[in-house]
Amino acid sequence: MANAPHGGILKDLYLRDADKEESLRAEASTLSSVVLTERQLCDLELILNGGFSPLEGFLNEKDYNSVVENMRLSNGLLWPIPITLDVSQKEIEENKIEPSKRIVLLDPRDYEPLAILTVEDIYSPDKSKEAKLVYGADDIAHPAVNYLHSIAKEFNVGGSLESIQAPSHYDYVSNRYTPTELRAHFKKLQWTRVVAFQTRNPMHRAHRELTVRAARQRKAHLLIHPVVGLTKPGDIDHYTRVRVYKALMPKYPNGMAELSLLPLAMRMGGPREAVWHALIRKNHGVTHFIVGRDHAGPGKNSQGVDFYGSYEAQDLVEKYKDEIGIEIVPFQMVTYSPDTDEYIPADEVSEGVKTLNISGTELRRRLKTGLPIPEWFSYPEVVSVLRQSHPPRSQQGFTVFFTGLHASGKNAIARALQVSLNQESTRSVSLLAGENIRAELSSELGFSKRDRDINIARQAFVAGELTRAGAAAILAPIAPYASARDAAKKTIEQYGGFYLVHVSTPLDECIKRDRDGIYERAKRGEIKEFTGLDAPYEAPTNANLTVDITKQSVSQAVHEIILLLEKDGYVGSA
């Protein structure tokens, strides 16, 4: 028999409001609207489908304060994480949001109406207090605290929800079960004891072994329940991870395990989040839940110390286990024994017995460099998926970003680099020449700092897409401002390599080399805000390479860039 939901009743608003859909949709067309953020969309979906039972809306001020201070709703029920709808002063004024008003909540992807909120109250949360009590510290190194202070808006709107429709999903639809659907699925399979395993990472052989051990010890079946909403910044995308999970599922004994995807926006809240995760799984009908060491931990704080202790999450879940109403299974670390060709619990390894392991850092290094990943660590099917999404450097894209004054020689070096890379014939090479970009992408822009920053941002976007596709992109703008260059790097480097090359040719030499007479026109006042004359150039302090055309030839500059690329594995033989 499936576990009872938190609070005793599964709050499936899809079912509750199904007979009102037509009238709610008609009403929605007459109401003011708020477009949800990505996190709010995840939260809304789990409120509507009952994953956040007993919640039937976003927290009002009374419930919010109670959750922050006591880990409980105002009615006394255990609830550790505040689920809030943050809005700005502008949104409040434009939509005339006030108590008793009804507003429609829109999907940010297609602006479809998802639910109607009846406003109970509007309040200004104490974000520092929330950070300290919920996440343990008011430190923006914590992703949830950074979200509070940098992204979340200044007010929260509390109120109850009525469901119009579920958010649309177009990926892995067959693996997306609501709590009601998953409970029905367990009933069909005649599963009465189910261990849930939460993950936001790819799974390998060790994960398969520890989950099988957990199910075997509890005489239960297994639910692999990964998060596919928002996870920790820098995590592997959920498309890759789900392909990994699907490749792994046949490795379980037939009929032992099922895969269901959870559209949760994680907060990386450690101990409180572990309690939250257990309650969510309880609502999905499972009876046991695996809680790991440093469960949902965000890593280190701004002082370089872990935000949470290794066992804080397990301890807090144990403290509230009776109220949670789900049996907690401590994550049992396993390690590989090459002598017996098996995984064994780490705490059962005898002294002197040889064991092997590959860290996450080492795995990423092997993926980047194309080095082999042994079968004792991961299944070939899983490695194949990871290599498709994380090819070695020789197959990844990169961007070389030149910056320097007009007529510094950066365009000549960029063109020569394009020829040299084309000679390699290992990837497509695109030169985004400054004059072409200005004409095709930024013809309406002038030369104010704002317009220059927009121009660089547009070039970075194009280069980022090329880099993501595995191409080489070469940019050669003047790019006089450090902030715009840093923003460009942030945009591009998430997809591949980024190399900043400063062409530091002195201004006097640039003026001599200016065959088009641009500097003379600027001196006569025909061109305003010209970099190097009446507009500043902020020389990079973080360039990967600095060249000066008065001291190096174009071919020498290109050779030095190629050496950089070769050192990092982007070009040349492995």
Side-chain angles (χ1 to χ4, degrees):
M1 180 178 177
N3 205 351
H6 192 45
I9 299 173
L10 186 68
K11 303 292 186 175
D12 187 333
L13 307 194
Y14 296 149
L15 292 179
R16 187 198 68 185
D17 300 333
D19 60 345
K20 299 189 292 183
E21 179 187 343
E22 190 173 330
S23 61
L24 288 171
R25 190 180 289 273
E27 181 187 1
S29 65
T30 69
L31 300 176
S32 299
S33 62
V34 170
V35 178
L36 299 170
T37 64
E38 193 175 359
R39 184 163 102 169
Q40 290 168 350
L41 179 65
C42 292
D43 288 348
L44 178 73
E45 182 169 3
L46 284 165
I47 295 172
L48 297 182
N49 72 19
F52 283 173
S53 293
L55 304 190
E56 296 182 80
F58 290 99
L59 297 187
N60 58 30
E61 185 172 20
K62 184 179 180 182
D63 280 326
Y64 167 81
N65 286 329
S66 183
V67 168
V68 168
E69 295 169 4
N70 306 311
M71 282 182 54
R72 298 184 182 278
L73 299 170
S74 58
N75 64 8
L77 267 178
L78 184 69
W79 193 264
I81 300 291
I83 308 300
T84 56
L85 179 68
D86 56 290
V87 296
S88 65
Q89 180 68 46
K90 181 180 178 182
E91 287 175 307
I92 292 173
E93 293 171 356
E94 288 182 348
N95 295 296
K96 297 181 173 58
I97 299 175
E98 59 186 9
S100 299
K101 176 144 185 174
R102 286 165 68 79
I103 56 175
V104 60
L105 304 182
L106 303 182
D107 190 319
R109 303 165 300 173
D110 53 18
Y111 302 108
E112 281 288 308
L114 300 178
I116 293 176
L117 176 78
T118 300
V119 177
E120 287 185 36
D121 57 10
I122 304 165
Y123 57 98
S124 179
D126 185 335
K127 295 183 178 181
S128 292
K129 179 180 178 181
E130 179 179 342
K132 292 173 184 175
L133 294 182
V134 177
Y135 304 111
D138 192 12
D139 183 342
I140 60 171
H142 193 298
V145 176
N146 181 62
Y147 187 97
L148 273 177
H149 290 304
S150 304
I151 300 174
K153 298 157 200 168
E154 56 266 42
F155 296 97
N156 289 342
V157 174
S160 59
L161 291 165
E162 291 171 278
S163 170
I164 299 173
Q165 62 181 324
S168 296
H169 292 290
Y170 305 101
D171 60 328
Y172 311 116
V173 177
S174 63
N175 295 108
R176 291 179 179 271
Y177 292 92
T178 68
T180 296
E181 292 168 343
L182 198 55
R183 286 167 172 271
H185 191 58
F186 292 157
K187 184 175 181 180
K188 180 180 179 180
L189 295 174
Q190 299 183 24
W191 286 12
T192 58
R193 297 169 64 85
V194 184
V195 177
F197 179 64
Q198 138 105 20
T199 183
R200 59 179 178 83
N201 294 309
M203 292 176 65
H204 302 288
R205 287 192 56 151
H207 300 98
R208 187 264 184 200
E209 295 300 322
L210 73 89
T211 51
V212 167
R213 283 176 177 272
R216 188 184 299 132
Q217 290 170 4
R218 270 71 183 180
K219 296 181 173 58
H221 291 88
L222 183 64
L223 176 69
I224 306 301
H225 208 201
V227 172
V228 295
L230 298 180
T231 59
K232 184 179 178 181
D235 280 353
I236 291 176
D237 66 273
H238 82 269
Y239 303 105
T240 299
R241 290 190 289 110
V242 175
R243 290 197 297 272
V244 164
Y245 306 141
K246 283 178 167 288
L248 186 76
M249 293 306 291
K251 305 301 180 182
Y252 287 101
N254 188 38
M256 171 179 272
E258 289 285 322
L259 172 66
S260 179
L261 310 181
L262 183 68
L264 177 70
M266 291 183 67
R267 273 59 165 179
M268 306 308 298
R272 280 203 184 208
E273 182 134 351
V275 174
W276 188 41
H277 288 177
L279 294 175
I280 293 168
R281 272 44 183 233
K282 177 184 178 183
N283 287 331
H284 282 78
V286 307
T287 56
H288 300 68
F289 180 54
I290 298 173
V291 177
R293 292 174 66 252
D294 194 25
H295 187 100
K300 299 189 181 300
N301 61 22
S302 56
Q303 283 75 49
V305 179
D306 287 339
F307 272 99
Y308 309 117
S310 296
Y311 298 100
E312 278 189 55
Q314 293 180 354
D315 291 344
L316 192 66
V317 171
E318 178 67 22
K319 177 180 178 181
Y320 290 102
K321 67 178 181 180
D322 292 337
E323 287 185 77
I324 294 171
I326 190 170
E327 185 176 332
I328 302 304
V329 181
F331 188 101
Q332 190 173 31
M333 296 291 292
V334 295
T335 187
Y336 178 71
S337 167
D339 294 336
T340 57
D341 188 27
E342 64 177 344
Y343 277 85
I344 54 179
D347 58 2
E348 295 179 12
V349 177
S350 302
E351 187 176 350
V353 172
K354 179 182 178 182
T355 61
L356 299 175
N357 190 29
I358 291 179
S359 67
T361 300
E362 175 62 13
L363 175 62
R364 288 189 292 273
R365 187 185 76 84
R366 289 177 181 241
L367 287 170
K368 283 181 179 179
T369 58
L371 289 173
I373 296 170
E375 285 194 35
W376 62 260
F377 176 77
S378 195
Y379 296 101
E381 297 89 340
V382 168
V383 173
S384 176
V385 170
L386 292 175
R387 289 206 187 280
Q388 289 171 10
S389 298
H390 298 79
R393 286 271 177 87
S394 60
Q395 298 173 31
Q396 293 178 25
F398 61 84
T399 292
V400 179
F401 188 111
F402 291 93
T403 176
L405 298 174
H406 173 69
S408 62
K410 57 184 170 55
N411 288 349
I413 300 172
R415 285 191 292 269
L417 177 62
Q418 181 188 27
V419 171
S420 180
L421 292 174
N422 277 331
Q423 178 179 272
E424 287 263 337
S425 190
T426 56
R427 56 171 63 77
S428 173
V429 184
S430 294
L431 172 60
L432 305 180
E435 58 272 19
N436 292 339
I437 292 292
R438 274 281 178 180
E440 300 296 335
L441 287 183
S442 303
S443 59
E444 86 285 7
L445 298 178
F447 293 92
S448 66
K449 183 180 186 302
R450 176 181 177 276
D451 283 2
R452 288 176 186 271
D453 288 351
I454 292 173
N455 179 44
I456 296 303
R458 290 176 182 175
Q459 294 190 46
F461 171 77
V462 174
E465 292 301 303
L466 289 168
T467 299
R468 172 159 48 181
I474 303 171
L475 276 66
I478 292 174
Y481 298 109
S483 59
R485 296 191 299 261
D486 290 343
K489 178 180 180 180
K490 186 176 181 180
T491 297
I492 295 166
E493 68 179 357
Q494 60 184 313
Y495 304 123
F498 179 89
Y499 296 87
L500 182 64
V501 179
H502 178 207
V503 184
S504 63
T505 307
L507 177 61
D508 290 346
E509 182 64 25
C510 293
I511 293 173
K512 291 178 186 177
R513 295 170 54 85
D514 178 21
R515 297 186 177 184
D516 298 323
I518 304 296
Y519 282 104
E520 288 303 318
R521 289 177 57 198
K523 287 180 179 179
R524 293 195 299 268
E526 297 174 19
I527 303 175
K528 303 296 184 183
E529 298 182 287
F530 193 80
T531 302
L533 297 181
D534 56 353
Y537 178 83
E538 299 173 358
T541 59
N542 58 344
N544 299 97
L545 181 67
T546 299
V547 298
D548 180 345
I549 209 70
T550 65
K551 300 176 182 177
Q552 294 147 287
S553 65
V554 168
S555 61
Q556 177 62 27
V558 169
H559 179 63
E560 292 184 25
I561 296 168
I562 294 294
L563 289 176
L564 274 178
L565 295 169
E566 191 278 333
K567 177 177 70 71
D568 290 341
Y570 287 103
V571 300
S573 301

